[in-house]
Amino acid sequence: MKTPSAGTPISPFALLRAFMPFGGKGTLQAAMQDQLNVTWCGLSGSGTSAIYATLLALRKHSDKTEIILPAYTAPSLILPIRKAGLTPVLCDISPETLNSGSKEILPYVGSNTLGIMPVHMFGLPTDVPEMNRQLKNEPIFTIEDAASAMGAEIDNIPVATQSDVGVYSFNRGKNLSTFTGGAVMTNREDLIQDINTEINAFPTPDFKYALKIRTFSVALSLVVHPFWYSLLLPFASKFKYTSLHTDFHTWSYTPYQSRLGLKLIRKLETFTQKRANNANFLIQALSDIDGIKLPTVLANSRPAYNQFPILLPDETTRETVHQAILKTGLEATLLYPDPIHRLYSDIWDGQGTDPFPNATTISKRILLIPVHPLVPKRALERAVEAIAQTLKTI
Ligand SMILES: Cc1ncc(COP(=O)(O)O)c(C=O)c1O
């Protein structure tokens, strides 16, 4: 049996409801506003386009052009920044938290900073309240990227709701998936209209793409289960991302996805708890094994582990351990194999000292273990055994 790296349990009932355009109470937008206690939530066809709409809106509020973000995160984040006519400014990460926190981000703030974009990597919260406290008197926006962190909290408040703007993703690898999609949240009355205008300008998906969303969301509801994933793996693997994206779509979020999302958001707490149980099992089982380092979790925070990151001593050991886990059937992954500055030669030409050494080192040492709600406990136990055995023999 093979267990996929990511998965949202989508019941046949939720799918059936999504296919029925009429009836049913409430909207995803209202449910998110209510559940997250946020003034306004807008929905978009992807997390990337939600960020893009946000940046276009923020441009109307300032002439500044720089956005500060971690060198180690989703490389696709460069695309909406550049498409909005802005300049990405990278900063390093902490090798302890695997995030860029106030210590890493704030030294880069300058006279041309439009905003900072802290990212809650893998669902591990970064210290956004501290950044906001320090920037309180500055005309600088905080755009919280919680694409992988839906369900996480800092001081009992959901991430993505404590800054000027926050974003979640509903992509297929995320904590709640409607195949694609993104949400943008703000409590700032002066930003709502501008972001909403940008999102509403996105075109409705054409027939082909709308059909793809429906077909793939049904397929996704099956392949998250180890039985179906094992059966359909040769087919499913054709749809995995393998190359660096050079552009992104700006389709709007569909009513079908909203109906599906509404069913799923009600389960967010259950799913987050299952992720936490799986992660806690790994923390207990792995913390005494020599050669493994676990991430430091921010105090007063509740992670919503998208996947569970572990650090191995070096790239060769990581590869050996990765192969050993894969042999057990659990699909551990190497996300992201390279930091952003090593992918874009116009950001760093590769000459001289590496400007973001922690980002580079972590990208070579990190291994992600699936902890989504459909990972069987036995799969985690087997993976732990494989890790322990492999490290003993190295
Ligand atoms: C940290 C982060 N930000 C933004 C995104 C973009 O989200 P989407 O895939 O919905 O466009 C991703 C997706 O992988 C991500 O991991």
Side-chain angles (χ1 to χ4, degrees):
M1 284 286 192
K2 303 245 181 259
T3 305
S5 58
T8 301
I10 302 176
S11 69
F13 176 68
L15 278 175
L16 202 63
R17 180 66 203 94
F19 273 100
M20 293 192 302
F22 304 109
K25 279 200 201 115
T27 64
L28 177 59
Q29 186 175 17
M32 288 188 69
Q33 286 168 185
D34 186 43
Q35 199 162 316
L36 301 165
N37 192 22
V38 72
T39 311
W40 179 80
C41 165
L43 299 167
S44 177
S46 70
T48 308
S49 67
I51 291 171
Y52 177 53
T54 301
L55 296 176
L56 289 176
L58 296 186
R59 290 212 67 172
K60 295 181 185 154
H61 292 253
S62 169
D63 291 335
K64 297 176 180 176
T65 56
E66 290 178 355
I67 299 290
I68 305 169
L69 75 160
Y72 176 72
T73 185
S76 59
L77 276 182
I78 296 301
L79 303 177
I81 297 175
R82 288 196 162 150
K83 198 165 176 158
L86 300 169
T87 307
V89 172
L90 300 182
C91 66
D92 211 349
I93 60 166
S94 152
E96 311 300 324
T97 63
L98 312 181
N99 275 322
S100 296
S102 45
K103 268 200 218 128
E104 288 78 24
I105 290 182
L106 297 185
Y108 286 84
V109 169
S111 57
N112 197 19
T113 305
L114 171 65
I116 61 168
M117 203 189 295
V119 181
H120 304 288
M121 289 295 288
F122 314 120
L124 289 162
T126 189
D127 67 346
V128 166
E130 178 57 25
M131 293 178 215
N132 288 340
R133 232 179 336 266
Q134 293 196 36
L135 288 177
K136 205 166 84 191
N137 299 318
E138 307 277 347
I140 290 172
F141 295 101
T142 302
I143 307 125
E144 238 181 281
D145 181 339
S148 309
M150 197 166 189
E153 295 174 350
I154 302 174
D155 300 328
N156 298 317
I157 301 172
V159 293
T161 69
Q162 308 193 34
S163 300
D164 298 301
V165 187
V167 170
Y168 293 123
S169 165
F170 296 119
N171 198 349
R172 52 192 164 177
K174 301 303 187 237
N175 290 359
L176 279 191
S177 177
T178 55
F179 178 55
T180 59
V184 45
M185 269 79 42
T186 185
N187 290 310
R188 281 189 52 164
E189 301 283 352
D190 60 329
L191 297 180
I192 295 174
Q193 170 106 44
D194 287 331
I195 302 176
N196 199 22
T197 302
E198 297 300 340
I199 283 185
N200 286 339
F202 292 156
T204 308
D206 59 19
F207 177 77
K208 206 171 138 200
Y209 194 67
L211 187 67
K212 184 175 174 183
I213 289 170
R214 287 169 185 238
T215 317
F216 276 64
S217 58
V218 173
L220 212 60
S221 74
L222 291 178
V223 297
V224 293
H225 295 278
F227 172 78
W228 286 105
Y229 189 63
S230 311
L231 207 67
L232 299 171
L233 185 60
F235 184 69
S237 52
K238 289 201 179 94
F239 295 96
K240 296 195 175 182
Y241 306 128
T242 47
S243 57
L244 189 63
H245 293 238
T246 52
D247 202 0
F248 58 94
H249 72 75
T250 53
W251 297 122
S252 58
Y253 200 58
T254 65
Y256 166 83
Q257 289 173 300
S258 295
R259 292 190 294 272
L260 183 57
L262 182 58
K263 283 279 161 221
L264 296 178
I265 190 110
R266 293 177 180 146
K267 302 259 177 70
L268 179 64
E269 176 53 34
T270 313
F271 295 164
T272 308
Q273 195 50 54
K274 286 191 174 159
R275 289 177 182 278
N277 293 346
N278 287 338
N280 288 337
F281 169 78
L282 290 175
I283 291 170
Q284 288 221 323
L286 297 175
S287 48
D288 290 335
I289 298 182
D290 281 345
I292 292 203
K293 193 173 150 188
L294 305 182
T296 303
V297 175
L298 181 73
N300 296 327
S301 81
R302 178 198 194 202
Y305 294 95
N306 180 250
Q307 296 197 58
F308 187 77
I310 63 171
L311 295 178
L312 282 311
D314 52 62
E315 198 173 358
T316 314
T317 311
R318 177 184 68 173
E319 190 46 29
T320 314
V321 171
H322 187 201
Q323 291 308 323
I325 300 176
L326 289 178
K327 270 196 204 129
T328 70
L330 187 62
E331 196 179 59
T333 55
L334 309 180
L335 215 62
Y336 298 90
D338 289 297
I340 294 179
H341 64 292
R342 288 181 174 266
L343 293 170
Y344 290 88
S345 58
D346 56 338
I347 291 182
W348 183 52
D349 61 8
Q351 303 297 309
T353 318
D354 188 329
F356 311 110
N358 293 337
T360 301
T361 308
I362 294 303
S363 71
K364 303 300 165 206
R365 291 179 52 198
I366 197 163
L367 186 57
L368 298 177
I369 304 186
V371 287
H372 58 81
L374 292 162
V375 176
K377 177 88 182 294
R378 187 70 197 111
L380 291 179
E381 286 168 352
R382 274 199 296 263
V384 167
E385 276 161 33
I387 296 169
Q389 282 304 324
T390 311
L391 286 174
K392 233 188 250 169
T393 57
I394 283 178

